[in-house]
């Protein structure tokens, strides 16, 4: 084998090993990746019970029910569809009706009324009056529900004066 042939062989071998390692990493991460969806997108995708996801939207007015000191149920809406959420844990201080929220957890079977349900592991409330996750804000803008005067700021943008 010539010198050029050996070099091509080793380059091919290195690329093959790199590709195999990348494939193994992606295979290992497939179970821990959670999707970010709005209630409308969730209804369109028809995910099975047990799917792990992040659900974002607004806490529907009049939907918050405290079941105990660290147990709560509420409804996340994007103005079109609703998803019920049950959560056991410390509720964020900024959590309230009409505010942006992201809940991460497992999708359970729909209730008797056909509304999807999410058993949340974590609930994140927006951190100030200017921030809302970009995907939620864009979804609300498309539906004409967005009430902000200017586009939402991103977590990395400097604060506005």
């Amino acid at each position: 084998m010539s010198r050029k042939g050996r070099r091509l062989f080793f380059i091919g071998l290195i690329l093959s090993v790199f590709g195999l390692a990348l494939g193994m990493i992606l295979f290992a991460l497939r179970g821990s990746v959670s999707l970010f969806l709005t209630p409308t997108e969730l209804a369109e995708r028809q995910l099975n019970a047990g799917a792990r996801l992040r659900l974002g939207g607004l806490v529907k007015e009049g939907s918050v029910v405290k079941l105990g000191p660290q147990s709560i149920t509420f409804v996340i809406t994007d103005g079109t569809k609703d998803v019920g959420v049950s959560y056991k844990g410390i509720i964020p201080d900024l959590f309230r009706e009409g505010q942006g929220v992201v809940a991460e957890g497992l999708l359970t079977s729909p209730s008797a009324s056909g509304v999807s349900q999410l058993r949340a592991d974590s609930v994140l409330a927006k951190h100030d009056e200017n921030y809302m996750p970009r995907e939620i804000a864009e979804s609300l803008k498309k539906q004409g529900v967005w009430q902000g005067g200017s586009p939402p700021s991103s977590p990395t943008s400097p604060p506005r004066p």
Side-chain angles (χ1 to χ4, degrees), residues 62-145:
S63 69
V64 177
V65 178
K66 291 189 178 185
L67 304 172
Q70 291 188 356
S71 184
I72 190 171
T73 63
F74 58 95
V75 174
I76 293 180
T77 185
D78 61 3
T80 305
K81 300 282 185 183
D82 298 339
V83 176
V85 177
S86 62
Y87 174 65
K88 290 182 182 178
I90 298 173
I91 302 159
D93 291 336
L94 297 175
F95 178 87
R96 62 184 177 272
E97 294 177 351
Q99 295 294 318
V101 68
V102 175
E104 181 176 359
L106 296 174
L107 192 63
T108 61
S109 4
S111 65
S113 63
V115 176
S116 296
Q117 298 290 319
L118 181 75
R119 190 177 69 234
D121 304 318
S122 66
V123 173
L124 305 170
K126 68 182 207 170
H127 63 72
D128 71 6
E129 69 278 358
N130 294 323
Y131 176 75
M132 181 175 289
R134 185 178 321 272
E135 294 87 355
I136 296 171
E138 289 173 0
S139 173
L140 293 173
K141 283 180 186 178
K142 287 179 187 174
Q143 299 166 17
V145 180

Side-chain angles (χ1 to χ4, degrees), residues 3-81:
R3 199 171 156 173
K4 186 177 182 179
R6 281 189 298 229
R7 186 177 301 151
L8 286 175
F9 173 75
F10 284 118
I11 290 173
L13 182 66
I14 290 171
L15 288 176
S16 298
V17 169
F18 179 73
L20 181 65
L22 183 64
M24 290 172 62
I25 290 170
L26 292 175
F27 180 77
L29 290 177
R30 71 178 163 78
S32 64
V33 174
S34 58
L35 303 171
F36 180 87
L37 302 171
T38 63
T40 301
E41 292 171 341
L42 178 62
E44 290 171 356
R45 291 199 184 191
Q46 299 288 326
L47 296 175
N48 295 329
R52 181 155 192 82
L53 58 97
R54 286 187 185 134
L55 183 70
L58 299 175
V59 178
K60 189 171 184 176
E61 296 287 338
S63 69
V64 177
V65 178
K66 291 189 178 185
L67 304 172
Q70 291 188 356
S71 184
I72 190 171
T73 63
F74 58 95
V75 174
I76 293 180
T77 185
D78 61 3
T80 305
K81 300 282 185 183

